[in-house]
Amino acid sequence: MKNISHARITKVVAFLIAIVCLTGIAKALIDLEYNRVNLNDVNADNYFESQAFSEESYGLFNTLTKLVGNYKSEANILSGKALTKDNRREIENELFYDKFYYSDGYDHNLPEADNKRIFKEIYADDIKQKKEEHIQMQVKEFYQAVDTLKTYEGIVYYASDGEHIFSNSELNKKEQFESYDAYALFGDYQQKVYPNRVVESHYYDFSTYKFDELNPQTDVMYVAFTDSFLQQKIQEWEIDKVKAQKFMNESILFLIGFIVSFIYLVIVIGRTSFKDKNIHVHVIDKLYNDLNMVIVGCLMSMWFVLIIEVVREIYLPLSVPIFIIVLLLILSLVKHIKNRTILSYTLIYQILKKVFLAGKHVFDSGSIGVKTVLLVIGYPIVVAATFFMFPITIGLAAWFALKKVKSFNRIKEGVEQIKNGNLQHRIEVDGKGKGEFSRLAANINRITDGLKKSVDSEIKSERLKTELITNVSHDIRTPLTSIITYVDLLKIENDPEKIAEYVDVLDQKSKRLKHLTDDLFEAAKASSGSIPVQEERIDIVSLLTQGIGEMDEKIEASALDFKLAYPTEKVYVKADGKLLWRSIENLFSNIFKYAQPASRVYIDVEDVGNEILVTFKNISAYELNISADELMERFKRGDESRTSQGSGLGLSIAESLIHIQRGKFLVQVDGDLFKAMIYLPKLTRE
C-alpha cells in the first residue's frame, strides 16, 4: 500500500484516463468544427448580440457596400471609375518593384519620384494592361456579388447611389423598413440599427464598419429582417448555444481529467517511489529525443489532416492509437528531462559529438603533420560552412591560436626556471595531458621530478656518509679509548687483583670493538649486494618456531610474551636460509634491546597472494620520537641518547639482506608501537 502511488497498475490506469480524456477533448473539438457552433455564443444573452447574427449581417452589408459604393454597374467598372487611388497605386508599385527597381534603368542617384516618373514612361503599356486585367477582375466580382444577393432569403434590402439601385422588393422608403422587428438604415448622414441590443453587442463594429465606405450624400442602404427569418435563426441559434454549452462542459471536464492524470504521470514516471532518485528507462526511452519530437509532430500533423480533411467519421479508431503513441513519446521526453539528458540524448548531438571527438582524437594523438593537414583542410571548410558568422569563426580561430601561444610561452618560461636551478617549479599547461604541448610539459615535469629525486638522493647519501663517519668514529672511539686507558693502567699497576679487573674490562671493550667492526663490515657487504645468495624453499613458520625456541632463555630473561599466528596450511618462501635467519635474528635482537619489559610481541605470518608477509609488532620501552625512515638509517637507535649497547645497524642490515633476496622490508611507527614487515616471494608447494 505504501508504493501504490508508484505501482505499475496505478500508472496504467492514469495513462488510460489521460487517453480517454484526450480523445474526449478531440471529439468535442471535432463536433464543434463540423457543427459550425460558435463557443462565443455561450456568453450571448440573445441572438442579436451573438456572433452568428453579426456574421450573417456582415456578409450582406459588405456585398451591398461594394455594389453601391464602388462597382455600381458593369459600365462604370469598364470605364475605370471603380479603380480607386489605392488600386492604381498598388498596380503601379507592383510593376515598379517587379520590373524596374532591380533593373539597370533604376538610377539610385535620382529621387524616388523621378525614378517613378521614368518608370511610368517606359512601362506605360504594362501599367495599362495591368489595369485592364484588374478591371476585368472587378467585372467578375461585380456579377458574383449580384448573384450572392439573390441567395439571401428572409432579408429585405434596398441600396442606391441615386442612379443605380440594388433591391429585392418594392420597398424603397426608410419608414417602410422601420416597420420590421429588426433593421439597419444608412443615409443622409444617419445610421440607425434596431433593436438596440445589436448596438450593445461586441460584434457591432465588425458588422457595420463597411458603412464608412459609403457616400453619406448620395448613398443609402436599408436592410430589414423578416419575422420568419428571425424566428428560424433564433431557433437555430438557441440549439447551437445548447450544443456549444454542452461541448464546452465536456471539453472542460475532459481537460481537467487530462491535466490531473498527466501531472500525476509526469511526477511518477521513471521512478518506483518518491524516495527513488534513479530514472528507470525502457525500450521506448532509447529512441533519440529529436527523433521522438519529429515522430510526435508527424503523428499530430497526420491526425489533423486525416480527421479534419479526410476521414472524420472514423476519428475514434485513428485517434486512440495515435494519442497512445504520442503520449508515450511525450512521457519518454519527460524522463529525459528528469534525467537531464533532453539535449545530450539526441541524434544530432551524438553525431556532432562523435565527429568532434574523432577530430579531437586525431588532432590530440596525431603527429604535427597530421594536425597541419587537418588545420589546412578543416579550417576553410568550417569557414565556408559558417560564412554567415564569419567574425565569430575568425574570433574562435584567434582564441585557439592565442591559447597555444600562451601554452608555448609557459613551457619556455618553465624550462628557463628549471635551467636556473628551480627544481620545485611545475609547468602547468591546459589540456589534461592531451596535445603536443601538454605531453611536452608532462615529460619536462617528469624529467624535473627525476632530477630532483636524484639530487635529493645524492644529498641524502652525502648526509649519511657524514653521519656514518661521525657515528663510527664515536662508537669505535669509546671502547678504543677505554682500551688505551686500561693498557696504560696495566703498565703501572702491580696489584694482581687490579690487573685481573683491568684485563676483564679490556676483554669486554675489545669484544665490543670487534662487534662494532663486524656489524660495520656486514652492513657494508649487505648494502653493496656482494653477499652471495643461495635461494631455496623455506618453511617460514618452522624457521620462526625454531628461532623462538633457541632464544627461550633470552625470552624468559626479558619477560616478553611472544604470540605467533600463522595460516593452517604450510607456506613456503624462496630465500637464502642463512641470510633470512640473520635478518630475523636482527629483529629479535632489536626487540630484546628496545621492547617494553613484560609486554607482548606479536609475530604474524600472512599469505598475501604472490608474497608471504611476516610482521613483528612490539611496544617500545623508549619514546619513539623519530620517524620510520630515520630508524632505518645506519647507527640510529630508538633512543636518541644512544646509551644502549646496540650498534644501530640491525635494521639497516636486515633491510639490505631482505632486499638482495628480492623481498621488501618496511618499518612503521604508531606512537610507541613498532612494526617491522618482511615481504618475501611465495613459493607454491610442489
Side-chain angles (χ1 to χ4, degrees):
M1 292 298 292
K2 291 183 179 179
N3 293 327
I4 192 171
S5 62
H6 287 73
R8 181 173 297 178
I9 186 64
T10 310
K11 295 177 183 179
V12 171
V13 170
F15 183 84
L16 293 177
I17 292 174
I19 294 298
V20 170
C21 292
L22 201 57
T23 307
I25 294 171
K27 178 181 180 299
L29 294 176
I30 292 171
D31 289 343
L32 275 177
E33 178 66 23
Y34 278 91
N35 286 282
R36 300 297 179 186
V37 176
N38 294 315
L39 287 177
N40 294 326
D41 289 345
V42 172
N43 298 321
D45 295 331
N46 56 76
Y47 173 65
F48 296 106
E49 297 179 8
S50 69
Q51 183 177 349
F53 176 76
S54 175
E55 291 176 352
E56 188 75 33
S57 57
Y58 170 77
L60 178 60
F61 295 160
N62 184 44
T63 303
L64 290 174
T65 302
K66 280 184 179 181
L67 291 174
V68 175
N70 190 22
Y71 294 154
K72 301 184 185 299
S73 66
E74 180 180 358
N76 184 70
I77 296 173
L78 293 175
S79 66
K81 294 179 180 179
L83 284 175
T84 63
K85 290 182 179 180
D86 291 337
N87 295 146
R88 298 174 190 273
R89 188 183 305 109
E90 182 181 348
I91 292 171
E92 291 175 359
N93 286 338
E94 182 180 353
L95 288 173
F96 177 76
Y97 286 105
D98 286 348
K99 294 190 174 185
F100 185 71
Y101 185 77
Y102 298 102
S103 68
D104 295 335
Y106 186 86
D107 190 348
H108 291 276
N109 296 321
L110 292 176
E112 187 78 6
D114 292 342
N115 276 304
K116 286 193 174 183
R117 178 178 52 77
I118 296 172
F119 157 73
K120 291 178 181 179
E121 293 175 358
I122 297 174
Y123 292 94
D125 294 338
D126 291 331
I127 295 173
K128 182 179 179 182
Q129 181 181 352
K130 199 71 175 178
K131 289 180 179 178
E132 291 293 336
E133 292 175 359
H134 197 81
I135 288 172
Q136 293 300 321
M137 184 182 66
Q138 287 183 328
V139 171
K140 182 179 179 181
E141 291 176 353
F142 170 76
Y143 284 107
Q144 287 177 345
V146 172
D147 292 338
T148 301
L149 288 177
K150 296 177 181 178
T151 62
Y152 287 99
E153 297 180 358
I155 301 177
V156 181
Y157 59 86
Y158 173 83
S160 173
D161 61 351
E163 180 180 355
H164 306 92
I165 297 175
F166 301 92
S167 176
N168 63 348
S169 69
E170 296 180 353
L171 304 179
N172 57 8
K173 300 295 184 183
K174 181 168 57 174
E175 294 77 9
Q176 295 173 320
F177 285 86
E178 288 178 340
S179 62
Y180 287 87
D181 292 336
Y183 57 83
L185 308 175
F186 176 85
D188 297 331
Y189 295 96
Q190 293 183 352
Q191 181 175 310
K192 185 178 181 181
V193 178
Y194 187 81
N196 293 329
R197 286 172 293 183
V198 176
V199 181
E200 297 171 358
S201 170
H202 298 295
Y203 308 103
Y204 173 73
D205 292 335
F206 166 75
S207 58
T208 61
Y209 81 93
K210 282 291 184 179
F211 288 174
D212 296 336
E213 299 179 8
L214 297 175
N215 187 338
Q217 293 179 343
T218 59
D219 299 342
V220 296
M221 182 188 301
Y222 306 142
V223 177
F225 300 89
T226 63
D227 293 341
S228 59
F229 173 83
L230 289 176
Q231 290 176 2
Q232 178 185 352
K233 291 297 180 180
I234 290 172
Q235 185 178 4
E236 292 175 357
W237 174 78
E238 290 176 347
I239 294 173
D240 289 342
K241 182 178 179 179
V242 173
K243 290 181 180 179
Q245 187 66 57
K246 177 185 176 184
F247 294 150
M248 180 175 286
N249 293 339
E250 290 179 355
S251 299
I252 292 174
L253 182 63
F254 284 127
L255 183 61
I256 292 173
F258 174 75
I259 290 174
V260 172
S261 57
F262 183 73
I263 291 175
Y264 164 77
L265 290 172
V266 168
I267 294 173
V268 302
I269 196 69
R271 292 195 170 99
T272 57
S273 68
F274 286 111
K275 296 181 180 180
D276 189 4
K277 301 300 181 183
N278 298 321
I279 300 298
H280 304 278
V281 297
H282 299 90
V283 177
I284 193 172
D285 303 317
K286 295 181 179 179
L287 181 67
Y288 288 115
N289 293 330
D290 45 357
L291 296 181
N292 184 328
M293 295 176 188
V294 170
I295 293 174
V296 169
C298 291
L299 286 175
M300 292 309 298
S301 300
M302 182 179 70
W303 181 82
F304 276 110
V305 171
L306 291 177
I307 300 303
I308 303 300
E309 302 293 339
V310 184
V311 283
R312 179 246 174 184
E313 292 78 8
I314 56 172
Y315 75 91
L316 190 61
L318 286 175
S319 298
V320 172
I322 290 177
F323 289 162
I324 290 175
I325 296 172
V326 168
L327 188 55
L328 285 174
L329 293 175
I330 291 175
L331 292 175
S332 175
L333 291 175
V334 171
K335 284 186 183 180
H336 284 287
I337 292 174
K338 287 183 175 182
N339 206 30
R340 298 181 179 178
T341 54
I342 188 67
L343 293 178
S344 60
Y345 195 71
T346 57
L347 182 59
I348 295 175
Y349 178 87
Q350 295 297 325
I351 292 174
L352 292 177
K353 180 180 177 182
K354 288 182 179 179
V355 171
F356 173 77
L357 291 178
K360 188 173 185 297
H361 174 72
V362 173
F363 189 82
D364 288 342
S365 60
S367 63
I368 297 296
V370 173
K371 294 179 180 180
T372 303
V373 171
L374 282 177
L375 285 174
V376 172
I377 296 177
Y379 184 69
I381 294 175
V382 172
V383 171
T386 59
F387 67 93
F388 54 90
M389 48 186 292
F390 183 71
I392 298 177
T393 307
I394 289 292
L396 290 175
W399 171 82
F400 179 77
L402 181 62
K403 185 178 178 183
K404 292 299 179 183
V405 170
K406 285 184 177 179
S407 298
F408 175 75
N409 289 334
R410 203 175 294 125
I411 293 173
K412 187 173 71 171
E413 293 171 1
V415 171
E416 191 69 24
Q417 294 234 14
I418 295 169
K419 185 191 74 172
N420 293 331
N422 184 7
L423 299 181
Q424 304 293 335
H425 182 74
R426 303 287 298 178
I427 302 175
E428 300 293 340
V429 176
D430 299 334
K432 298 181 180 179
K434 297 180 180 180
E436 295 290 340
F437 288 149
S438 297
R439 286 196 293 270
L440 177 60
N443 290 335
I444 294 175
N445 288 334
R446 292 191 191 99
I447 293 173
T448 306
D449 292 340
L451 184 59
K452 184 176 180 299
K453 287 181 181 178
S454 177
V455 171
D456 291 344
S457 177
E458 186 65 25
I459 293 173
K460 182 179 180 181
S461 178
E462 290 296 325
R463 180 175 58 81
L464 289 176
K465 287 179 182 179
T466 304
E467 289 183 358
L468 176 62
I469 294 171
T470 303
N471 292 331
V472 166
S473 62
H474 180 276
D475 282 43
I476 292 178
R477 183 174 57 194
T478 301
L480 186 59
T481 302
S482 298
I483 291 172
I484 294 171
T485 301
Y486 280 95
V487 168
D488 291 338
L489 290 174
L490 279 174
K491 291 178 181 179
I492 60 174
E493 185 62 53
N494 296 318
D495 187 354
E497 292 183 359
K498 289 285 185 179
I499 291 173
E501 182 182 344
Y502 292 163
V503 169
D504 287 339
V505 173
L506 287 172
D507 182 58
Q508 293 176 9
K509 297 302 180 181
S510 62
K511 287 181 179 179
R512 169 65 178 163
L513 184 60
K514 182 179 182 299
H515 178 67
L516 286 173
T517 55
D518 287 345
D519 281 356
L520 182 60
F521 180 69
E522 185 177 9
K525 286 178 63 178
S527 62
S528 66
S530 60
I531 300 178
V533 178
Q534 295 180 351
E535 293 183 342
E536 57 183 332
R537 191 177 73 163
I538 298 174
D539 185 346
I540 186 66
V541 177
S542 297
L543 181 65
L544 290 169
T545 305
Q546 182 181 351
I548 293 172
E550 292 178 357
M551 297 183 180
D552 189 56
E553 292 182 0
K554 290 185 177 180
I555 293 174
E556 289 182 1
S558 64
L560 294 173
D561 185 9
F562 279 75
K563 300 290 183 180
L564 177 62
Y566 51 86
T568 55
E569 296 183 359
K570 287 191 174 184
V571 289
Y572 297 90
V573 297
K574 188 176 182 181
D576 186 308
K578 293 181 180 179
L579 299 180
L580 179 58
W581 173 244
R582 181 73 179 96
S583 303
I584 295 174
E585 189 179 29
N586 280 359
L587 290 175
F588 278 127
S589 176
N590 192 73
I591 291 170
F592 291 138
K593 291 175 183 176
Y594 301 112
Q596 176 74 34
S599 63
R600 293 186 182 89
V601 178
Y602 294 92
I603 304 174
D604 298 327
V605 179
E606 300 176 67
D607 187 343
V608 289
N610 295 326
E611 294 178 316
I612 299 299
L613 170 62
V614 183
T615 306
F616 297 81
K617 292 181 285 187
N618 67 274
I619 301 298
S620 175
Y622 306 98
E623 182 180 355
L624 296 176
N625 54 2
I626 56 177
S627 66
D629 291 338
E630 290 180 302
L631 280 174
M632 294 299 296
E633 294 177 6
R634 299 170 187 175
F635 288 93
K636 281 285 184 179
R637 302 188 184 90
D639 59 327
E640 286 290 347
S641 62
R642 296 214 310 256
T643 58
S644 65
Q645 296 298 313
S647 65
L649 292 169
L651 294 180
S652 177
I653 293 171
E655 180 190 24
S656 299
L657 292 177
I658 294 297
H659 180 70
I660 63 176
Q661 296 176 85
R662 295 184 293 120
K664 291 182 293 184
F665 185 88
L666 302 174
V667 169
Q668 291 182 357
V669 175
D670 186 3
D672 290 337
L673 175 64
F674 175 83
K675 184 190 296 184
M677 295 173 289
I678 298 175
Y679 289 86
L680 292 169
K682 178 182 176 182
L683 188 66
T684 56
R685 185 177 181 182
E686 296 179 358

